[in-house]
Amino acid sequence: MSDRSPILVWVRRDLRLTDHPALSAACQTGRPVIPVVIRDQGVDDLGAAPKWRLGLGIGHLADRYAEAGSRLVLRSGDAVEVLNALVKETGAGAVYWMRAYDPASVARDTAVKSALKERGVEAESFAGHLMFEPWTVETKQGAFYKVYTPFWKAVRDRGVAEPVSAPGRIPAPDSWPGSETLEDWNLGAAMRRGEDVVRPWVRLGEEAAQGRLGAFIAHKVSDYDQTRNLPWTDGTSCLSENLSLGEISPAQCWHAGRRAMEEGSKGAETFLKELVWREFAYHLMWHTPRLLDSNWREEWEAFPWNTDANTPEVIAWTQGRTGIPFVDAGLREMYATGRMHNRARMIVASYLTKHLMTHWKIGMRWFEECLIDWDPAANAMGWQWSAGSGPDATPYFRVFNPITQREKFDTNREYVDRWIAEGRKTPTETAQSYFDAIPRSWGLSATDTYPTPIVTVDEGRKRALSAYQNRDF
């Protein structure tokens, strides 16, 4: 291969130009760079909201590449076949990409690397989606961490590479291979009428992500310890949307938070701990892939959860019609915005797995369908943490009371009133927007009577504790 052979940069969940090690390494060679996005089975299997959000992100990134004198090439199919075909078409001598850590992606990437090397093509993966590669963080005994606090202590003083700037110009090939279009892909098809409702809540692209980070550090991080638990106020960074698709790197967030902490900001360390909680989720997914689809604590396989997603109770939960305002507000916020406040996520998950005695996988899959900040590791660990079956989990006998939680964290009912329309003469615009987004087949209206609880707080708690006390393990 000639030193002028192109390099394919395989773009996945790294929709940025800044602090992109694979892209930077390719540009530094001076060889032509051909960025490519592949619609493979992993993309097709995404839920409605994350697939739609991915499409928006790819479209925005294409504009960024164009500004840098380049373009995105879109292809569909098996990754090995697509990359082999592009190597043949372009004469590419190398393929670079940023690492993924879920088992399906690891298997795919291993097959790609093997196939490329067999034909003499350089294949190199780069870090960047995480700050700490999962295999580099070990206990003194050489094992992986199973509890968060020791993990945090092990990495909090580790060095994190400084973010690198975006390339000014990306070297282009003499001729470009053919490309499919985002219109052909139609990644937003499953959103239907919900697309217009959710779209105003999206903050698209790396510029928006960096703006979010800057505003958070300048105006919110000092009070983050308190405000992050209050769903009625804008007290969080909201960066999970952008981190999930790599529109900003965790290193960029870490260094901004670290500077704020060194300057005396009280909430900055808590923000850093939240970034490390994300790292911990990936650490566990890498070392114990069953986190994604099985009870992490294997003894919980015997627990008598309901596994039928079509029971009236579960359907009421998915529709935000449980009759428990804090639970319903969280589920409606998710359906209308693609996000849910973290405090609400805990309450919503606890109610499903404990009060309704329903398997966490049913809730996890609903979140996979509805979240624009869906992340495989964080979603799975969050659900298993809430259910009690996961690593470092909340004990099963700790059953969140959604009424007292609302009284503590939404004292004036601002969050509940923002998202619950029934029973109000003039519902808020946000509460009404939920009914504008849901399928018409649900037959729900803002003028309906608000439901009575499908399971009362006391009844659900007693049922959950009884099942826990009588478990076979």
Side-chain angles (χ1 to χ4, degrees), residues 131 160 162-163 210 212-218 221 239 248-263 265 268-269 271-272 275:
M131 296 182 290
V160 175
E162 287 285 345
Q210 291 170 13
R212 258 180 172 166
L213 176 62
F216 173 72
I217 295 297
V221 73
L239 283 165
I248 194 169
S249 73
Q252 290 172 288
C253 300
W254 176 266
H255 284 289
R258 191 86 186 184
R259 285 191 294 271
M261 185 178 73
E262 291 167 355
E263 292 167 2
S265 176
E269 185 176 31
F271 175 61
L272 296 178
L275 291 172

Side-chain angles (χ1 to χ4, degrees), residues 105-161:
S105 295
V106 170
R108 176 198 61 192
D109 295 354
T110 301
V112 165
K113 185 168 285 191
S114 176
L116 291 171
K117 287 186 174 181
E118 278 184 14
R119 62 184 300 169
V121 176
E122 179 190 358
E124 187 170 354
S125 64
F126 294 78
H129 195 64
L130 299 176
M131 296 182 290
F132 314 109
E133 296 295 77
W135 51 88
T136 68
V137 186
E138 296 180 331
T139 67
K140 292 179 180 178
Q141 293 74 37
F144 69 94
Y145 283 93
K146 301 177 182 179
V147 179
Y148 169 74
T149 299
F151 181 85
W152 158 252
K153 291 179 179 178
V155 302
R156 64 184 175 187
D157 295 321
R158 276 196 177 196
V160 175

Side-chain angles (χ1 to χ4, degrees), residues 304-315:
W305 272 309
N306 163 53
T307 57
D308 183 356
N310 296 311
T311 65
E313 289 180 350
V314 175
I315 291 172

Side-chain angles (χ1 to χ4, degrees), residues 216 220-221 223-238 341:
F216 173 72
K220 301 186 217 175
V221 73
D223 297 321
Y224 184 63
D225 277 342
Q226 291 75 39
T227 56
R228 71 191 182 99
N229 280 311
L230 305 176
W232 52 269
T233 191
D234 182 18
T236 65
S237 72
C238 294
H341 190 277

Side-chain angles (χ1 to χ4, degrees), residues 3-9 17 22-36 64-73 96 166-177:
D3 287 340
R4 291 296 301 162
S5 64
I7 298 175
L8 303 179
V9 174
L17 303 188
L23 176 64
S24 295
C27 291
Q28 285 168 8
T29 67
R31 292 156 61 182
V33 174
I34 302 174
V36 57
R64 291 277 286 141
Y65 270 106
E67 291 167 3
S70 185
R71 65 178 70 172
L72 276 182
V73 174
Y96 291 174
R169 298 290 292 177
I170 299 172
D174 293 333
S175 62
W176 287 93

Side-chain angles (χ1 to χ4, degrees), residues 375-395:
D375 175 282
N379 194 33
M381 190 169 76
W383 272 97
Q384 293 223 48
W385 181 88
S386 295
S389 63
D392 207 13
T394 176

